[in-house]
């Protein structure tokens, strides 16, 4: 059962409902609980008969504004579509919540309602990142600023559990994002995390050591671990660079008649490129490390993008991600403590 | 007078000397001191008569290896081409040193020999970053991990002085790189630096507040300020994303005969794109905040790339960058102290 915050995002039910309809064609067994304004949701559902047959509406009078402060949302938003959708996961009525709403509010509410897994201190936001090989997972991309060595190790295990769920690899490769300059060799916490991950045998990950920024897109590892400030900046910088080069390309192709003719003939190639670079393919930031799954869709995405976020959520549910992550983190902390004690 | 570490980089005099020859055609008044193996330099100079007429060779027996540890280089490398080239700036014999050698060694030696400007605690490495508008300056891209609020403010003034020199704007626009998520609003030091830069009137910069990663390539500001860990990761990630998209583009254009024909016809456009994305155009990381100028060229660049690094150095010399930076930083710290005292 998938809980949808139908009022989240820039477009609410107009994108959420058709998004669910797309996802249903890919996963015919899906069932949805849609939280939000009944009349608006019904109006959209009336256009999607198959979806309507497997969707249940939970009416809510209020929704969290996109610009609400998280603290305010938590105090005043307990009858909102977002809160009730998250709560349905905590209550065991749904397996995952998907929202395109206010990121800060979703993070704060998810932490409060779903609670972090007992062995970890902090959840993280994990992003799917397209690479020349396929995709990788980068975390944390902005749940927190800074991370201790032990938190970075938690992120490594959490990201690996997600990679196992989405990429179907048994022992995902993991790297710590670092700077390569000889004279500094990275932040203390990153070096300490490196020591811990290298020092423990039989972890459920294939630890590859440090990776640098340019290696993310090369797909050198399945999971890239970094604290949230640098991780968020890396993600946004990559998105900005992709947009920048698209603009260069458009400008370059329109500057002469010959280029325009060539670009017209090569339009099949350009379509392939566009599909490859389509941000909707990898839409969805996952809150990892909670006792329940929450996926954040981009607020401005369309139905196709929202469907990707649902797909990611469903893949994680099917693989039993939360249970596996709990076990992995518990084992890791047990072994780390016994190693430190000996 | 430009001091060249002729032995630096992957190719030594084979790239450094032809690079100087290219730069000389653009700046006919340049004079060079070339530090390194006399025989090797002379062999290259013999192919460039005009350059030979305005180049002086300072023979050195040793050079710093690309993989030498900075601490070791400082202890054992005092008769190296790199050390003596830097020293020639400190002694007032040259205006700027350009090296494609070992980054860590160059940084450590430059700090030791040129010393930081008295008002600041730390130098930074500034990178030229191509944008859809033109270029911007991003610093620190890896001189140090972490930065206090006051150091971030120093970077803002140092970067602005460089922007003034290279972009010929009187009051460069400056932004602090931050994450945009509501619930965290960035690291403490970044918020404090924001408060300082907003609170002081009549700074020689046009402070624009926070910018996010995707806004760097949009050219929203002339100068982007960030501590060195996130800055280095952002730079490498952008470089990696550019390579990744180039590869997507090559793959997409070669997948059908029609696309290949189109790409052939559009080759003028692709040449424009390639020129726009050529990393040699913006080759050269500048060590800012020292009592003298040092520019680091990529170690693997060719003569054209090395010439760009010389050009950047020469532009900064001509504008009197070091003097201006000293004045700006001194004024800033005086006003900050008097504000804190009142």
């Amino acid at each position: 059962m998938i809980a949808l915050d139908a009022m989240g995002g820039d477009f609410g039910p107009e994108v959420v409902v058709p998004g669910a309809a797309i996802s249903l064609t890919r996963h015919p067994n899906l069932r949805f609980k849609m939280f939000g304004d009944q009349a608006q949701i019904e109006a959209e559902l009336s256009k999607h008969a198959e979806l309507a047959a497997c969707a249940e509406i939970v009416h809510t009078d209020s929704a969290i504004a996109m610009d609400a402060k998280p603290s305010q949302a938590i105090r005043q938003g307990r009858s909102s579509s977002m809160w009730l959708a998250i709560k349905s996961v905590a209550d065991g009525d749904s397996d995952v919540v998907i929202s395109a709403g206010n990121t800060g509010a979703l993070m704060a509410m998810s932490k409060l309602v779903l609670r972090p897994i007992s062995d970890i201190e902090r959840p993280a936001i994990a992003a799917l990142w397209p690479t020349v090989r396929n995709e990788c997972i980068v975390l944390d991309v902005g749940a927190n600023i800074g991370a201790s060595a032990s938190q970075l190790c938690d992120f490594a295990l959490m990201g690996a559990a997600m990679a196992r769920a989405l990429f179907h690899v048994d022992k995902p490769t993991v790297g710590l994002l670092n700077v390569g300059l000889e004279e500094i060799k990275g932040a203390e916490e990153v070096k300490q995390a490196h020591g811990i991950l290298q020092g423990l045998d039989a972890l459920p990950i294939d630890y590859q050591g440090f990776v640098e920024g340019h290696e993310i897109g090369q797909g050198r590892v399945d999971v890239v671990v970094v604290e949230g400030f640098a991780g968020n900046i890396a993600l946004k910088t990559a998105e900005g660079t992709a947009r920048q080069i698209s603009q260069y390309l458009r400008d370059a192709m329109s500057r002469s008649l010959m280029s325009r003719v060539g670009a017209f003939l090569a339009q099949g190639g350009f379509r392939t490129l566009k599909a490859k670079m389509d941000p909707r393919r990898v839409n969805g930031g996952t809150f990892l490390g909670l006792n329940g799954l929450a996926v954040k869709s981009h607020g401005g995405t369309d139905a196709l993008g929202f469907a990707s976020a649902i797909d990611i959520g469903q893949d994680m549910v099917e693989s039993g991600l939360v249970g596996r992550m709990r076990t992995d983190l518990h084992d890791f902390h047990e072994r780390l403590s016994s190693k430190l004690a000996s």
Side-chain angles (χ1 to χ4, degrees), chain A:
Chain A
M1 177 69 80
I2 309 242
L4 300 179
D5 168 14
M7 310 311 282
D10 299 345
F11 310 106
E14 281 175 51
V15 156
V16 172
V17 173
I22 294 171
S23 199
L24 184 66
T25 63
R26 299 178 191 154
H27 302 91
N29 296 323
L30 284 186
R31 295 293 170 270
F32 297 96
K33 264 188 208 296
M34 301 185 173
F35 295 80
D37 183 86
Q38 180 146 14
Q40 285 184 51
I41 297 173
E42 274 174 355
E44 290 297 325
L45 271 181
S46 69
K47 304 171 199 162
H48 303 276
E50 286 187 27
L51 176 63
C54 46
E56 175 189 329
I57 301 175
V58 181
H59 176 75
T60 69
D61 283 322
S62 72
I64 302 297
M66 289 304 269
D67 59 352
K69 291 205 170 156
S71 50
Q72 193 188 355
I74 282 184
R75 278 195 311 274
Q76 299 165 1
R78 307 224 170 174
S79 57
S80 66
S81 58
M82 186 185 279
W83 178 277
L84 293 174
I86 299 169
K87 198 162 173 301
S88 125
V89 175
D91 293 344
D93 296 332
S94 301
D95 301 303
V96 56
V97 51
I98 323 282
S99 173
N102 180 320
T103 309
L106 185 64
M107 183 79 204
M109 284 184 175
S110 300
K111 261 164 92 169
L112 194 64
V113 176
L114 300 173
R115 318 291 315 171
I117 289 174
S118 62
D119 287 285
I120 72 160
E121 294 157 65
R122 284 176 173 188
I125 302 179
L128 272 181
W129 189 300
T131 75
V132 294
R133 296 173 60 192
N134 217 323
E135 276 130 34
C136 70
I137 289 164
V138 179
L139 77 168
D140 176 18
V141 295
N144 298 283
I145 302 274
S148 67
S150 150
Q151 285 164 352
L152 289 171
C153 294
D154 289 343
F155 294 173
L157 289 154
M158 285 152 54
M162 183 169 161
R164 211 173 289 119
L166 297 185
F167 309 152
H168 310 290
V169 283
D170 186 45
K171 233 180 165 184
T173 51
V174 176
L176 285 171
L177 193 56
N178 201 357
V179 298
L181 298 173
E182 259 311 302
E183 76 271 34
I184 32 180
K185 290 188 202 120
E188 276 314 309
E189 311 82 59
V190 180
K191 283 189 266 185
Q192 284 168 17
H194 176 73
I196 296 173
L197 292 176
Q198 268 198 327
L200 285 178
D201 300 326
L203 286 178
I205 65 172
D206 179 4
Y207 178 60
Q208 297 280 316
F210 299 129
V211 296
E212 288 192 59
H214 61 274
E215 295 173 308
I216 307 174
Q218 293 300 313
R220 218 195 101 190
V221 290
D222 296 317
V223 179
V224 175
V225 172
V226 57
E227 62 79 28
F229 185 76
N232 186 274
I233 286 173
L235 180 68
K236 294 281 177 66
T237 301
E239 289 171 353
T241 304
R243 275 209 293 279
Q244 179 181 357
I245 296 174
S246 301
Q247 184 164 338
Y248 287 173
L249 184 60
R250 274 194 306 276
D251 292 351
M253 288 302 134
S254 60
R255 62 186 279 284
S256 75
L257 179 63
M258 192 70 118
S259 294
R260 284 198 294 272
V261 170
F264 178 77
L265 291 176
Q267 59 185 306
F270 281 110
R271 263 197 302 272
T272 307
L273 179 69
K274 208 172 164 190
K276 190 93 187 168
M277 288 177 65
D278 190 342
R280 295 176 303 179
R281 281 197 321 133
V282 290
N283 176 39
T286 300
F287 296 165
L288 279 187
L290 302 172
N291 289 299
L293 287 171
V295 177
K296 167 68 174 80
S297 158
H298 268 289
T301 197
D302 62 9
L304 209 56
F306 196 81
S308 295
I310 298 177
D311 291 348
I312 292 173
Q314 177 58 16
D315 283 352
M316 293 189 295
V317 168
E318 276 174 10
S319 75
L321 173 62
V322 173
R324 174 69 195 252
M325 208 157 53
R326 254 194 224 115
T327 315
D328 285 356
L329 286 165
H330 186 70
D331 288 356
F332 167 69
H333 283 278
E334 291 246 300
R335 288 168 56 205
L336 185 57
S337 327
S338 71
K339 178 158 186 173
L340 292 176
S342 71

